[in-house]
Amino acid sequence: MAPDPITLELYRHRYSGIAEEMGITLQRTSYSPNIKERLDFSCALFDGSGRLVAQAAHIPAHLGAMPDSVAAALAVFDRWRPGDVVILNDPYFGGSHLPDITLVSPVFLDETHHEHSREGDASAAERAVSHSSPSAPHFFAASRAHHADVGGMSPGSLPLSTELYQEGIIIPPLKLYEGGELVESLLELILRNVRTPDERRGDLAAQRAAHAVGDRRLHELAARHGSAELLAYAGHLRQYSERLTRAAIRNWPDGSYTFEDPIESVVEGQTTHAPIRVTAAISGETVTLDFGGTCPSIYGSLNAPLSVTRSACYYVVRCLVGEDVPVNAGCFAPVQVDAPAGCLVNARPPAAVAGGNVETSQRITDAVFGALAQALPDRIAAAGQGTMNNCTMGGENADGSPWTYYETLGGGMGAHPQGDGFSGAHVHMSNTLNTPVEALEMAYPLRLTRYHLRRGSGGAGTHQGGDGIVREYEILRPTTATILSERRAIAPWGLAGGDPAAPGRNLLIDTDGSEEELSSKVTRRMRPGQRLRIETPGGGGWGSNS
């Protein structure tokens, strides 16, 4: 039966509203500033077959890859019970990089008991006893949160690694809860391998609380409208999104468009360029993104698993088809992503991937936009800052307790055919907030001595690229600091004759005021009184001034 258009729109917002409420719960109940303040997490709903139903407007780098996480959980477990929660972070088994821990839990709809109507605060675990012989799950709730430390060779778990084992604890799909009962031995194993176990325990509990909200809201909808209607409209929404996406691509000019954009690989202090090459082939109502010609995996942490590459590609297409298309599995159906096995954007274990999710994903995005700009010159902006400017630090507080800090920093957005780019923004695959100065200084032995826009760093043109920022930290306790950044040697490009933006800079300022320029990837042991200044890139300009 054809769906009712008004009901279809209602379900679009019902499902996305549930995902948003899950996110609010995760934020408010989390422990770490990275999740509570920066909102470095994502929440989504999937159907019983693992197809994306709805997502909140959270982190693009997370959400395009989360279907692989759910698929990995379904590949391992074929029997589910209410109260089950699967945990995973393995980049080669549904994950992205190790700090991103994903939880997946089933939702069983039982209209006959109406537990949610009678007990609005009941959790899935508390209701598990009422389901003696559950069938297959109707839905899955999923969340992915960036945990500020999961072990590894440096605080913050974004090290200058050369193999995956150096980056932290690797968690394949395992049940953290079985039928609502915590598998305490697994949790203790995880916590023993991280620097800040209390914070990790709290953030995992916050993710589970978010799932309980998703479970409860789906039960409330089922009690009101019936599970059959919920399932039917999940399918209708998927088909609707696919039709709209295909219709949008049909308006793009057929052809094959190639673009290459390198990343900055640093080995033993020497910077080399590792090219990412993509060909966008538009044919009718489909687009294929082929990364043939991309360099092989490199000796360092910038390798990306295919799930991250798909995520970046889906994000670009999603930007171009328009906001009216509901985000679900239907959006991805007309998009094919191909990459040679073992290349930089389809890495194989045990290649290091800590930077692939945060930095290479940004370059993949730039490359795909660069290719499609040849087909859609009036739709696409110049390159943004092209990096997340990852900064991780850690050490011991005065009382001996451990601390770890992680943050991505905003920069310039590229100018576009309609106007200037934004300044000081998290561009493309990040979409987080900053850590407020007050929250940072209260939580960590750090002091912010500078925080302002980097005036003039945007590229010139008919439309000006956005400016980057300057953020300077004074170290108050002995600290290990790691910077994982890009666009320090290769500037963000302009379009249509616009100028490139200023590349970024990383500086160490000693107690005597002397400055040392650091490379784009660096780890340093820092003393109290030293300062670390990060100057982020601007965005490219659009259009010639001449």
Side-chain angles (χ1 to χ4, degrees), residues 435-481:
T435 303
V437 174
E438 300 83 354
L440 183 146
E441 293 184 347
M442 183 171 63
Y444 308 113
L446 301 169
R447 180 180 294 124
L448 262 293
T449 52
R450 288 191 183 190
Y451 189 32
H452 55 81
L453 290 177
R454 189 184 175 203
R455 298 294 185 186
S457 55
T462 306
H463 300 299
Q464 179 83 22
D467 287 330
I469 65 169
V470 176
R471 192 160 167 97
E472 185 176 282
Y473 308 82
E474 182 180 354
I475 307 302
L476 304 181
R477 294 278 303 166
T479 295
T480 300

Side-chain angles (χ1 to χ4, degrees), residues 10 16 31 34 75 137 170 189 196 222 241 253 271 288 314 359 363 375 387 432 443 492 495 501 514 527:
L10 287 172
S16 62
Y31 277 42
N34 189 56
I170 304 168
L189 175 66
T196 48
S241 292
T271 299
T288 299
Y314 294 157
E359 293 301 296
R363 191 63 67 259
T387 176
T432 57
L495 268 182
S514 60
R527 306 186 309 273

Side-chain angles (χ1 to χ4, degrees), residues 4-20 45 53-55 221 233-234 236-238 240-241 244 318 322-328 331:
D4 173 66
I6 294 176
T7 306
L8 185 72
E9 187 69 11
L10 287 172
Y11 270 101
R12 170 187 179 176
H13 293 287
R14 285 167 177 163
Y15 285 132
S16 62
I18 291 172
E20 293 283 358
L45 296 176
V53 172
Q55 65 182 40
L221 281 177
Y233 273 88
H236 293 325
L237 277 168
R238 186 176 66 255
Y240 177 60
S241 292
L244 290 180
R318 175 73 184 87
E323 296 181 0
D324 292 336
V325 181
V327 180
N328 56 48
C331 300

Side-chain angles (χ1 to χ4, degrees), residues 208-345:
R208 184 169 178 254
H211 291 210
V213 168
D215 183 282
R216 183 160 63 247
R217 294 294 180 253
L218 286 169
H219 271 81
E220 290 169 353
L221 281 177
R224 184 177 302 171
H225 303 288
S227 59
E229 182 174 292
L230 266 66
L231 295 169
Y233 273 88
H236 293 325
L237 277 168
R238 186 176 66 255
Q239 295 163 5
Y240 177 60
S241 292
E242 182 173 346
R243 288 197 304 271
L244 290 180
T245 303
R246 290 185 182 278
I249 295 173
R250 202 179 300 126
N251 290 324
W252 301 356
D254 284 359
S256 185
Y257 311 93
T258 299
F259 193 85
E260 185 174 300
D261 203 352
I263 60 170
E264 300 163 6
S265 174
V266 179
V267 178
E268 297 180 349
Q270 299 298 312
T271 299
T272 60
H273 298 168
I276 294 176
R277 182 181 178 88
V278 63
T279 297
I282 303 169
S283 178
E285 57 186 23
T286 64
V287 58
T288 299
L289 300 168
D290 188 340
F291 288 86
T294 294
C295 72
S297 292
I298 63 175
Y299 186 75
S301 72
L302 294 176
N303 305 291
L306 189 59
S307 61
V308 169
T309 302
R310 288 197 192 105
S311 189
C313 293
Y314 294 157
Y315 163 77
V316 172
V317 174
R318 175 73 184 87
C319 287
L320 294 172
V321 299
E323 296 181 0
D324 292 336
V325 181
V327 180
N328 56 48
C331 300
F332 309 150
V335 184
Q336 176 69 33
V337 179
D338 296 324
C343 77
L344 180 68
V345 300

